Amino acid sequence: MSPVSPHVVVLFGATGDLARRKLLPGLFNLYRAGVLERCRIIGTSLLDSDTAKFRVFARDACEESSTRTIDEEEWERFVSRLSYINSASGAQALADAVADAEEILGGSPQRLHYLSIPPGAARVVLRVLEEAKLVERSRIIIEKPFGTDLKSATELNSFLHEIFDEDQIFRIDHFLGKEAALNILVFRFANGLFEPIWNRNHIDHVQIDVPETLSVADRAPFYEATGAFRDMVVTHLLQILGFIAMEPPTALTPDAISEEKNKVFRSLRPIEISDVVRGQYEGYRGLPGVAPDSDTETFIALRCEIDNWRWAGVPFYLRTGKRMAAGARIISIAFREPPKSMFPAGSGIGAQGPDHLTFDLADSSKLSLSFYGKSPGPGMDLDKLSLQFALHETGRERDVLEAYERLIHDAMSGDRTLFSSAKDIERLWEVSAPLLSDPPPVQPYAADTWGPDSMNEIIEPYRWRLPFEREWRESSYVQR
């Protein structure tokens, strides 16, 4: 990546969990890669702190997340660019801090405001930025969830547009910043082998499966007001669906890609209640901040359909949840089986399901193409084999950008390719309206399982790919 132009980054929520785990380490990694050579970072939060304490906080954060030893000279150059101001100090104090940083940089640097804050605090921060006159020459990154339904999302968009133009607003989804997610575009549109078969004539169904082993833990108050659908499906899984299902864009540009993704969302059918299973892991209601009769889902599985020419009749199955048996981020594309088999009964043809193309969206991206092949020996016995690719086998795993690093860099560069538009967000809340207005009751499931048994009913006559029947090999990616 080439260095970005001079920037002042204002990081709201600078002492929070996301800043500690991702944002401060990401900014440091971008700096030592030579991308942020002319940059000042102002942290701000409600914590009663100062610049010296914030720099210690940043060092601890980077040491926790770094995979390599921190060079002391490099760190001293980076940390000298960090300062802190208490949010309670008001708009004028923030304006003065930004002015001081800009004077050090010289000229008229760009401003990037990162709102790593609870959704309910967004309006207050936006008014502070307006009052401090920090809207000019600026871009703003907003974390999910973006609203909780169509009404709240529309109101938030309207409020944002009173202060910022749409091309200044970057609604972030870190799933789209992953190397493996970008590889979907390359795999689809750069290869003559797969582009012609990416449609209803050859694809039987698609699964997007993101189980998590984590509990809600100290996020219970946030989760109680959000749930798995708002937290994960609208903001992550449906965005990935847009990448999988879009038509070829006219160019590899933000506007062209956004338009094709938005066409997919316009073609999504409203989610039917009968196509949804909601679950709640046993023990959730005992967490501090959770109502004893809570109906908040910690698990959701659903079926989606895209009502257009390419995907008519192809179901998309989405699943995610907390306290599940394993953590994974899988896209699994099942191809149609041959219409007629010449192989004898008992040969094994069809016994292990259809051929699959599987993307693993973990940070170390992998993919697999499974197919039937002949087992060695006499007779015609078939077994499932696979072609595999794993990024670490190329020796370039260290070149991978962490999702937040990529997205921060893109926002600084003004590249909106991997960010959601107002139209995207509002349309996804629109198709979610039937579910949100009349959700089915939550069903209990034991922690460390795959969710309620009824999840299998909505996917019949198919079955969920996870758990895989065979473990991954250490050196490559293997599954049925």
Side-chain angles (χ1 to χ4, degrees), residues 10-14 44-46 87-88 90-91 94 112-135 138-143 156 159-160 163-164:
V10 182
L11 179 55
F12 293 88
T44 180
S45 75
L46 293 173
S87 298
L94 179 62
L112 179 70
H113 308 304
Y114 198 122
L115 273 59
S116 176
I117 56 176
R123 289 172 181 258
V124 175
V125 170
L126 292 169
R127 284 301 185 203
V128 168
L129 290 172
E130 183 182 38
E131 185 180 344
K133 296 181 172 56
L134 295 176
V135 176
S138 73
R139 301 182 180 107
I140 182 169
I141 296 179
I142 299 181
E143 277 287 340
L156 182 53
F159 187 83
L160 268 167
I163 303 172
F164 292 91

Side-chain angles (χ1 to χ4, degrees), residues 72-294:
E72 290 302 327
E73 291 186 8
E74 195 171 49
W75 173 256
E76 289 302 320
R77 291 194 297 271
F78 172 73
V79 80
S80 67
R81 290 160 167 77
L82 270 58
S83 60
Y84 182 85
I85 181 172
N86 191 306
S87 298
S89 301
Q92 188 56 53
L94 179 62
D96 292 343
V98 172
D100 291 344
E102 291 181 345
E103 184 177 357
I104 293 172
L105 291 173
S108 300
Q110 290 288 320
R111 302 158 178 165
L112 179 70
H113 308 304
Y114 198 122
L115 273 59
S116 176
I117 56 176
R123 289 172 181 258
V124 175
V125 170
L126 292 169
R127 284 301 185 203
V128 168
L129 290 172
E130 183 182 38
E131 185 180 344
K133 296 181 172 56
L134 295 176
V135 176
E136 185 184 2
R137 308 194 314 275
S138 73
R139 301 182 180 107
I140 182 169
I141 296 179
I142 299 181
E143 277 287 340
K144 58 94 175 176
F146 195 88
T148 57
D149 55 20
L150 177 59
K151 181 175 182 294
S152 60
T154 303
E155 289 175 350
L156 182 53
N157 276 327
S158 297
F159 187 83
L160 268 167
H161 291 153
E162 291 177 11
I163 303 172
F164 292 91
D165 295 332
E166 176 64 18
D167 61 4
Q168 293 178 280
I169 303 167
F170 292 74
R171 301 169 188 83
I172 194 168
D173 172 11
H174 71 273
F175 269 48
L176 296 186
K178 291 180 175 295
E179 192 81 21
L182 293 172
N183 213 21
I184 295 171
L185 293 180
V186 177
F187 201 84
R188 278 197 60 189
F189 301 127
N191 295 294
L193 177 61
F194 291 101
E195 192 281 328
I197 62 173
W198 210 267
N199 55 57
R200 60 185 173 84
N201 295 322
H202 301 282
I203 292 177
D204 189 63
H205 68 278
V206 178
Q207 295 181 33
I208 304 174
D209 207 353
V210 186
E212 298 181 290
T213 58
L214 299 174
S215 69
V216 173
D218 56 357
R219 297 178 69 224
F222 162 80
Y223 211 81
E224 183 71 349
T226 307
F229 182 80
R230 289 180 172 92
D231 185 43
M232 290 291 293
V233 176
V234 176
T235 52
H236 294 322
L237 274 62
L238 287 175
Q239 294 290 340
I240 291 293
L241 181 149
F243 261 40
I244 297 170
M246 72 165 69
E247 296 295 321
T250 55
L252 197 65
T253 62
D255 288 344
I257 291 175
S258 179
E259 173 58 22
E260 294 307 331
K261 193 155 60 105
N262 194 254
K263 286 179 183 177
V264 173
F265 297 151
R266 292 201 299 267
S267 300
L268 269 176
R269 290 183 176 178
I271 298 170
E272 299 286 344
I273 308 303
S274 58
D275 291 334
V276 177
V277 171
R278 297 168 71 236
Q280 185 184 93
Y281 69 79
E282 295 171 354
Y284 171 77
R285 293 180 181 178
L287 295 174
V290 175
D293 59 347
S294 172

Side-chain angles (χ1 to χ4, degrees), residues 83 102 115 280 298 339 360 382 398 413 430 434 446 455 466 469 474:
S83 60
E102 291 181 345
L115 273 59
Q280 185 184 93
T298 62
D360 184 344
L382 307 184
R398 289 174 63 89
S413 304
E430 184 180 2
M455 69 179 180
L466 291 173
E469 295 179 357
E474 183 179 345

Side-chain angles (χ1 to χ4, degrees), residues 7 139 167 170 254 408-417 419:
H7 264 78
R139 301 182 180 107
D167 61 4
F170 292 74
I408 289 171
H409 175 268
D410 285 358
M412 286 181 163
S413 304
D415 186 343
R416 304 178 75 249
T417 302
F419 295 85

Side-chain angles (χ1 to χ4, degrees), residues 354-357 368-372 384-387 479-480:
D355 302 335
H356 285 87
L357 175 63
S368 167
L369 178 63
S370 68
F371 56 92
Y372 283 98
K384 213 57 177 293
L385 309 174
S386 60
L387 298 173
Q479 92 294 321
R480 289 186 184 273

